[in-house]
Amino acid sequence: MRIFVTAAGGTEKALKEELRELGYRRLQGQRGGVWLSGNREVAARICLHSRVAVRVLAELGRFACPDEDALYRGVQGLEWARWLTPERSLAVTSVARSSGLTHTQYIAQKTKDAIVDAQRVAHGRRSSVDRNDPDVAVFVHLEKNEAGVFLDASGRSLHLRGWRTEATEAPLKETLAAAMVRLGGWDRETPLFDPMCGSGTLVIEADLIARRVPPHPRAHRFGFERWADYDAEAAAAIDALREEAHAGARASGPRCAGADIDPEAVDIARRNAERAGAQAHFSEASLGALRLEGPHHVLSNPPYGQRLEADAAFWEALRGAMRRNPECTFSLLLPEEGAPRDLGERRAVRAHPLFNGRIRCRLVTWSSMKT
Ligand SMILES: C[S@@+](CC[C@H](N)C(=O)[O-])C[C@H]1O[C@@H](n2cnc3c(N)ncnc32)[C@H](O)[C@@H]1O
């Protein structure tokens, strides 16, 4: 089976690195994700371990799809009974690019019709549609008149870890935060600090990455666990993988801490860390007073964009913080537009393009001045 693991724009490299760490080879990166081949256990391991993946899609089939008849026939020709019985609910979503069929809702509707018509013939009954919480989520990707039909093995988007039930303004998605931890080049040993921590996402993800804590709690269930082929034997195999993932967690790691000028943010970050089981420390402090003892990796996304504004005084405070902490490496997620190009005497060693939602950004890293 071919598997496509999706990732937010710009984080594909971090995902590839993470999949390599999980032991997977022959990875093929493309815009929006990474391809690899594997079985259900591979899909399950990625769901259980990956912090950068957004969805894990298992490819059921691929066919030429110049028009709606080809779509209907192609979908009907796939082996649905193995995954979807009439008792299980269904939802279909789609995207289309450079193809004859362009209307994504129509593509999804036609796909759903083909599946349930095939079920009626085979069983005399059909699945109901549940758009919010389907047992089996089908995804159709149409590009240049070729259709790929996938089952979503992850279920809910993997960025939803369960612990961030409270957030401050403009929080980072957990998957983007995890990608930043990797792309900033943190060595997972040096103490990490986020001086503008908001709801604490970067600090919490960093601690959990360093200590190899799986992204989801034991009780979390993934999409593939509701498919028709998920029998007792499969459940036992996945339980073993789940136990292995949790058994690999370390009791302690490098110090991960953060601060924010807003006391409410500090309280929220603390509560999020507690829910996540993270060993993270938060305090109320202004960037203007940032003075860290010894080498740290400073990782942060300063306020910018539509919801939070940064003015000239703020950028000056950031320059001051870099000047006062020469032993620290700084990795900052800055907007392409609106951030000054120079932030002090240091020369940036890396700049990685990323999207924070729709805002085009760069994760810029300045290494410490004392190496
Ligand atoms: C974009 S948010 C960070 C969001 C965070 N990464 C998250 O995932 O929730 C920026 C944060 O910087 C804080 N902030 C703004 N100016 C600051 C300053 N001078 N010193 C410290 N924190 C500041 C804001 O209170 C806000 O929480």
Side-chain angles (χ1 to χ4, degrees):
M1 176 166 76
R2 290 213 312 158
I3 296 171
F4 187 63
V5 188
T6 76
T11 68
E12 298 90 342
K13 182 172 169 246
L15 173 63
K16 212 168 171 184
E17 186 185 298
E18 195 181 42
L19 294 174
R20 245 187 247 119
E21 263 174 40
L22 283 173
Y24 298 118
R25 298 289 176 268
R26 269 180 253 140
L27 304 168
Q28 207 188 320
Q30 71 171 57
R31 210 175 113 221
V34 176
W35 285 101
L36 74 162
S37 56
N39 53 14
R40 177 183 29 217
E41 294 203 358
V42 172
R45 275 194 81 228
I46 297 169
C47 288
L48 283 164
H49 290 272
S50 175
R51 292 194 159 269
V52 180
V54 175
R55 291 189 182 277
V56 179
L57 303 172
E59 191 181 57
L60 287 194
R62 177 163 289 277
F63 48 85
C65 186
D67 53 35
E68 60 185 278
D69 284 345
L71 176 66
Y72 188 87
R73 273 184 278 108
V75 171
Q76 279 218 323
L78 301 175
E79 191 191 356
W80 291 101
R82 182 169 164 201
W83 322 99
L84 179 70
T85 52
E87 299 74 45
R88 287 178 165 76
S89 60
L90 162 76
V92 185
T93 52
S94 80
V95 300
R97 268 187 221 113
S98 318
S99 295
L101 293 173
T102 54
H103 196 290
T104 52
Q105 265 177 10
Y106 184 72
I107 294 165
Q109 173 82 22
K110 199 77 191 164
T111 302
K112 186 268 294 171
D113 289 347
I115 298 169
V116 299
D117 289 351
Q119 286 185 307
R120 274 204 205 90
V121 171
H123 315 283
R125 287 174 300 132
R126 54 156 281 188
S127 291
S128 59
V129 170
D130 182 342
R131 285 198 181 82
N132 295 326
D133 185 28
D135 293 318
V136 178
V138 177
F139 173 66
V140 180
H141 181 261
L142 191 58
E143 184 149 8
K144 294 184 184 146
N145 292 324
E146 186 177 85
V149 180
F150 300 85
L151 294 187
D152 185 344
S154 32
R156 280 193 314 161
S157 170
L158 294 172
H159 83 275
L160 298 165
R161 322 280 205 217
W163 50 261
R164 205 173 66 189
T165 49
E166 295 172 274
T168 53
E169 285 254 349
L172 287 171
K173 273 204 174 153
E174 296 84 334
T175 38
L176 176 60
M180 283 172 60
V181 170
R182 285 178 171 275
L183 296 169
W186 181 46
D187 60 8
R188 301 182 214 175
E189 287 173 10
T190 306
L192 179 135
F193 195 85
D194 178 356
M196 293 160 279
C197 68
S199 30
T201 322
L202 280 165
V203 179
I204 294 169
E205 285 294 323
D207 169 68
L208 300 176
I209 288 171
R211 292 194 300 112
R212 299 189 185 166
V213 178
H216 297 93
R218 267 193 180 79
H220 184 90
R221 290 294 171 263
F222 299 104
F224 64 84
E225 294 176 84
R226 292 161 73 177
W227 296 350
D229 72 332
Y230 196 69
D231 55 15
E233 197 184 326
I238 301 306
D239 279 351
L241 288 179
R242 188 173 267 123
E243 282 315 309
E244 187 187 72
H246 286 272
R250 292 177 180 164
S252 62
R255 185 178 164 85
C256 293
D260 202 286
I261 202 168
D262 175 3
E264 202 186 323
V266 174
D267 286 343
I268 289 175
R270 282 183 182 144
R271 288 196 292 269
N272 281 335
E274 200 178 323
R275 276 185 288 268
Q279 293 169 6
H281 313 269
F282 296 102
S283 55
E284 185 188 334
S286 160
L287 180 66
L290 183 71
R291 205 178 283 279
L292 296 164
E293 244 174 68
H296 280 69
H297 197 128
V298 175
L299 178 66
S300 198
N301 78 306
Y304 54 71
Q306 291 92 2
R307 285 183 283 175
L308 296 170
E309 284 302 336
D311 56 15
F314 173 81
W315 297 117
E316 199 38 53
L318 195 49
R319 280 192 193 95
M322 288 176 75
R323 223 177 287 128
R324 278 193 309 278
N325 295 280
E327 285 184 294
C328 298
T329 297
F330 280 74
S331 295
L332 302 172
L333 187 66
L334 301 173
E336 277 292 355
E337 279 173 34
R341 287 279 152 181
D342 65 313
L343 276 173
E345 315 67 89
R346 305 189 199 192
R347 191 179 283 166
V349 288
R350 259 191 312 278
H352 191 93
L354 282 174
F355 278 90
N356 184 4
R358 291 204 177 144
I359 308 173
R360 193 184 282 273
C361 299
R362 287 178 310 150
L363 179 68
V364 186
T365 297
W366 293 265
S367 55
S368 84
M369 293 175 77
K370 292 182 184 170
T371 45

